[in-house]
Amino acid sequence: MPCTWITSDLQLRLILTLFFVAECLSAGMEGTKTSNNSMQQLDNGNHSSVSTTSSTERKQSTVTLYAEVKTSLSVLVDTKAVLTCPPVLWPSVLVVTWEIVLRDKPPCFGAYRRDTNQTTRGNCTDKRITWASRPDENPALQVDPVAITHDGNYTCQIVTSDGNFHHEYHLQVLVPPEVTLIQTEKGTAVCKAAAGKPAAQISWTPEGDCDTEQGPYWGDSTVTVQSTCRWGSRHVLNVSCSVSHLAGNKSLSIQLSQGAEIPAHLKNLYITAPIFIILIVVGSIWLLKISGCRKCKLKKTEHTPVVQEDEMEPYASYTEKNNPLYDITNRVKTSQVLQSEVDASPEVTLL
């Protein structure tokens, strides 16, 4: 009997122990599930709040970024530039304003008011800057034609019922340089990109010993770049100069004259030799002229009588021999002479 009770008591204790263990295990599992559920709900709540915050921040950052849009625009001189405003819903537009800040000039404003359909130019006096079309349809701005003085900032501000929107342009006017390529007396090649905006870049083919210089900026912000290149003892016949510029690239070629650079002493010889030759020729002509004049004078003084005698003697002898009249005349003269002698002879005798 006692043994039976002890055995039954032990069985009862074992059953109760197993029951309590099972209760504890089930309680622990439920607590774990509850904590997991609460943690999951908390995580879900945090995640939704983070998502909401992120979307809100993203939306705010998008609006801010759009409001601060800045665009750099390069336009070739003497062309047309069109500047647009931010794209917004037109029914919500209240006022459109353009602010123009040019270099070395005070700011000027132009505006359009939608409720009254009125436009104002403010203090903007440049007639080349106008609305691209009707501002009630498209508030874009146009510059036609573009000049160097139109460098500056142009800002479109649109006031709407949903907020303000801005779009700023930094306008840069491009001026293509005038490119020339020549060869100097020293045998070097000079490539010049004159009056360009901005400064151009110069390169050579084939490469040589080159020196590139940039001049000062002019009042209109243009600048000249010059590159001088030499190839020394290398026998280079053809060279090319390439000019890179935002307004467009250009390349020129030239054929170099053969031969190395002329030394300084040869240059002086080339300059002085023609002068000496000219002096020698002039001196020779002068000496010949002087000597010729002297000979002419001597010939005139020496040969003039002889020439007269030579010229007269043949004529006289011919006259005497062949002219009968001349004989009669001589006879008459001779008789007259004899008669005069006869007439004079008595007088001599009487004396």
Side-chain angles (χ1 to χ4, degrees):
M1 185 72 184
C3 292
T4 303
W5 179 83
I6 291 173
T7 301
S8 61
D9 187 31
L10 290 173
Q11 291 177 353
L12 180 60
R13 287 182 179 180
L14 180 61
I15 292 171
L16 290 174
T17 301
L18 293 174
F19 178 78
F20 286 131
V21 169
E23 286 287 334
C24 290
L25 290 175
S26 63
M29 291 178 66
E30 290 178 359
T32 303
K33 185 182 292 187
T34 303
S35 62
N36 289 335
N37 291 334
S38 63
M39 289 295 294
Q40 186 175 2
Q41 292 176 358
L42 182 60
D43 291 339
N44 291 334
N46 291 336
H47 181 69
S48 62
S49 63
V50 170
S51 300
T52 304
T53 305
S54 299
S55 62
T56 304
E57 290 178 354
R58 188 160 54 247
K59 184 176 180 181
Q60 291 177 353
S61 63
T62 302
V63 173
T64 304
L65 180 62
Y66 189 79
E68 296 179 355
V69 168
K70 294 184 179 181
T71 303
S72 295
L73 184 63
S74 298
V75 181
L76 192 63
V77 68
D78 295 330
T79 60
K80 182 171 72 172
V82 178
L83 312 178
T84 59
C85 291
V88 296
L89 295 176
W90 189 248
S92 63
V93 173
L94 302 177
V95 178
V96 179
T97 304
W98 276 99
E99 180 184 4
I100 304 171
V101 182
L102 302 180
R103 185 179 65 248
D104 300 331
K105 291 184 179 180
C108 74
F109 300 89
Y112 167 72
R113 186 170 176 177
R114 184 170 175 270
D115 59 347
T116 58
N117 196 24
Q118 292 181 348
T119 58
T120 57
R121 290 184 57 88
N123 57 338
C124 298
T125 58
D126 194 339
K127 295 183 179 180
R128 292 168 293 185
I129 303 176
T130 59
W131 299 98
S133 62
R134 293 177 52 181
D136 58 341
E137 296 178 355
N138 182 11
L141 194 72
Q142 76 172 9
V143 185
D144 185 24
V146 175
I148 299 179
T149 55
H150 290 143
D151 262 345
N153 296 325
Y154 300 74
T155 304
C156 176
Q157 179 180 358
I158 297 182
V159 179
T160 68
S161 57
D162 299 327
N164 299 340
F165 301 90
H166 301 261
H167 195 163
E168 180 180 352
Y169 293 89
H170 176 68
L171 185 65
Q172 181 184 20
V173 181
L174 304 179
V175 180
E178 182 180 356
V179 182
T180 56
L181 176 60
I182 61 172
Q183 181 183 2
T184 64
E185 297 178 355
K186 297 181 179 179
T188 60
V190 178
C191 183
K192 181 184 292 185
K197 181 179 177 295
Q201 296 180 350
I202 300 177
S203 59
W204 291 90
T205 303
E207 296 182 354
D209 182 13
C210 305
D211 183 19
T212 302
E213 298 179 351
Q214 178 175 316
Y217 283 89
W218 299 99
D220 56 0
S221 298
T222 59
V223 64
T224 297
V225 180
Q226 177 175 304
S227 180
T228 304
C229 204
R230 58 187 62 83
W231 290 267
S233 59
R234 296 166 56 187
H235 297 287
V236 178
L237 297 179
N238 296 311
V239 297
S240 297
C241 161
S242 298
V243 176
S244 301
H245 194 265
L246 293 177
N249 302 329
K250 190 173 184 180
S251 180
L252 295 180
S253 299
I254 191 174
Q255 183 176 3
L256 299 179
S257 59
Q258 297 182 359
E261 183 177 345
I262 301 175
H265 65 281
L266 292 180
K267 284 185 182 179
N268 296 330
L269 180 61
Y270 291 156
I271 295 173
T272 56
I275 297 175
F276 280 116
I277 292 173
I278 293 172
L279 291 176
I280 292 172
V281 172
V282 172
S284 300
I285 294 172
W286 184 69
L287 291 175
L288 289 174
K289 187 175 181 181
I290 291 176
S291 62
C293 291
R294 288 180 179 178
K295 288 181 180 180
C296 290
K297 289 180 180 179
L298 290 174
K299 286 181 180 180
K300 287 180 180 180
T301 55
E302 292 177 358
H303 296 287
T304 298
V306 177
V307 170
Q308 289 179 354
E309 291 179 0
D310 293 337
E311 290 178 354
M312 292 298 295
E313 285 181 358
Y315 178 77
S317 62
Y318 174 81
T319 304
E320 291 177 357
K321 292 178 180 179
N322 298 320
N323 194 350
L325 294 176
Y326 185 78
D327 293 338
I328 297 172
T329 304
N330 285 338
R331 289 176 185 177
V332 173
K333 287 182 179 182
T334 303
S335 62
Q336 291 178 354
V337 170
L338 291 175
Q339 184 65 37
S340 62
E341 290 179 356
V342 171
D343 293 337
S345 59
E347 294 179 358
V348 174
T349 303
L350 291 176
L351 290 173

